[in-house]
Amino acid sequence: MIAIEITESGTPEVLKPTERPVPTPSAGQVLIKVAAVGINRPDVMQRKGLYPPPPGASDIPGLEIAGTVAAIGENPTHLKEGDQVCALVTGGGYAEYCLASADLCLPIPKDMSLVEAAALPETFFTVWSNVFDRARLSAGETLLVHGGTSGIGTTAIQLSKAFDAKVFVTAGSEAKCQFCIELGADAAINYNERDFVEEIRQLTGGNGVNVILDMIGGDYFPRNLKCMAFDARLVQIALQRGQKSEIDLLPIMLKRLTVTGSTLRARETAFKADIAKNLLEQVWPLLDYGQIRPIIHTTFPLIEAAQAHALMESSQHIGKIILTV
Ligand SMILES: NC(=O)c1ccc[n+]([C@@H]2O[C@H](COP(=O)([O-])OP(=O)(O)OC[C@H]3O[C@@H](n4cnc5c(N)ncnc54)[C@H](OP(=O)(O)O)[C@@H]3O)[C@@H](O)[C@H]2O)c1
């Protein structure tokens, strides 16, 4: 089969087509004939050598796929050959065939294309696990999301609104802010023009927000603490502005703040299967009814993975970039 491999750490051009054997599913796994694969910023970091695959994962990039079940491993599963599914995978998605744990395969929502379905797993698992499980966002509370037009951000906006929370976002241009408002955000702050700490103070009448989903880190950390209400929760999921920060610890005590974070890829299958179950019960019906939908910026053929990565690094996209196979 054709796959895209990372020939060495570096710029997008290190992504090259190669021939690899079609993998064989082991117990609990299925082989999927891939129709579409979602690109995520962690793929870019893997390509740069900054996010190595966890032990046992394929060296081929690609964390989410949609396609057709082509073979089934030893254990019995709810799936059968010919089923169309989307799946969260630990790697191997940039290929014609990819292995997936049967427990991490979800049905294609009603009236949804395989391209759209390939955009679901990574951001829906991540946002559900961090915003709803870890940070316990509940109806009536307020969420601040940095990077509102990212794949993660567009999912967080829609999910928080669907579960009756208020959502504020930051983004790097007026056009991106406008898109977030149209998608449902209650306010969008252009971080290149305005100080988000001051804006959040005004938007919340000085009270602060209940949850922050942060993919920026670095100097955003002390500023995030200033935006947090009493008993608020900060979830760190990436560190685009660096992993070091100097902070005043006092607000953590005075406002009883919770600072947490996580990475999804290295977690065990059972943990991810729990998220899959919750998504199926609570979020898939919203996708079936069309109440929420993945935002697709554009698609590229698999062999143009390098161009797709270059686009992601330019940050001109809004929502997801997908490779078609
Ligand atoms: N922990 C986990 O398990 C996990 C899982 C998946 C993804 N992630 C992380 O989540 C992030 C989003 O992933 P993605 O695939 O959705 O990537 P993406 O679409 O490329 O999004 C990256 C976003 O960061 C925004 N950004 C950069 N600097 C910013 C700043 N100073 N303030 C506000 N926004 C800023 C960019 O928007 P502007 O153009 O507006 O700056 C862009 O929308 C990545 O950092 C990724 O590593 C973590």
Side-chain angles (χ1 to χ4, degrees), residues 42-43 86 94 106 124 171 179 184 188 229 231 270 286 293 304 317:
D43 306 352
C86 58
Y94 292 19
L106 286 158
F124 278 74
F179 184 89
D231 295 303
L286 305 174
R293 64 193 200 286
E304 291 179 18
H317 64 292

Side-chain angles (χ1 to χ4, degrees), residues 273-301:
D274 261 356
I275 305 173
K277 202 164 153 280
N278 285 330
L279 285 172
L280 188 62
E281 284 168 10
Q282 302 199 55
V283 175
W284 251 238
L286 305 174
L287 291 160
D288 282 333
Y289 298 143
Q291 188 181 332
I292 55 178
R293 64 193 200 286
I295 304 300
I296 311 291
H297 181 80
T298 192
T299 65
F300 290 85

Side-chain angles (χ1 to χ4, degrees), residues 41 122 150-152 172 176 191 216 220 237-238 240 262 264 317:
R41 192 64 74 143
E122 179 69 11
S150 60
I152 294 281
K176 284 189 168 187
Y191 68 82
I216 310 300
Y220 269 37
I237 60 161
Q240 295 186 74
S262 75
L264 179 65
H317 64 292

Side-chain angles (χ1 to χ4, degrees), residues 22-33 55-58 65 68-81 83 85 87-92 97-105 269 272:
V22 174
T24 307
S26 50
Q29 290 184 323
V30 293
L31 177 71
I32 295 177
K33 185 174 189 328
S58 168
I65 53 172
T68 307
V69 175
I72 292 182
E74 263 170 38
N75 284 9
T77 145
H78 61 291
L79 297 170
K80 58 181 185 321
E81 276 180 40
D83 283 351
V85 294
L88 182 77
V89 294
T90 49
Y97 289 89
C98 179
L99 295 175
S101 293
D103 289 346
L104 304 185
C105 292
T269 304
K272 295 174 188 169

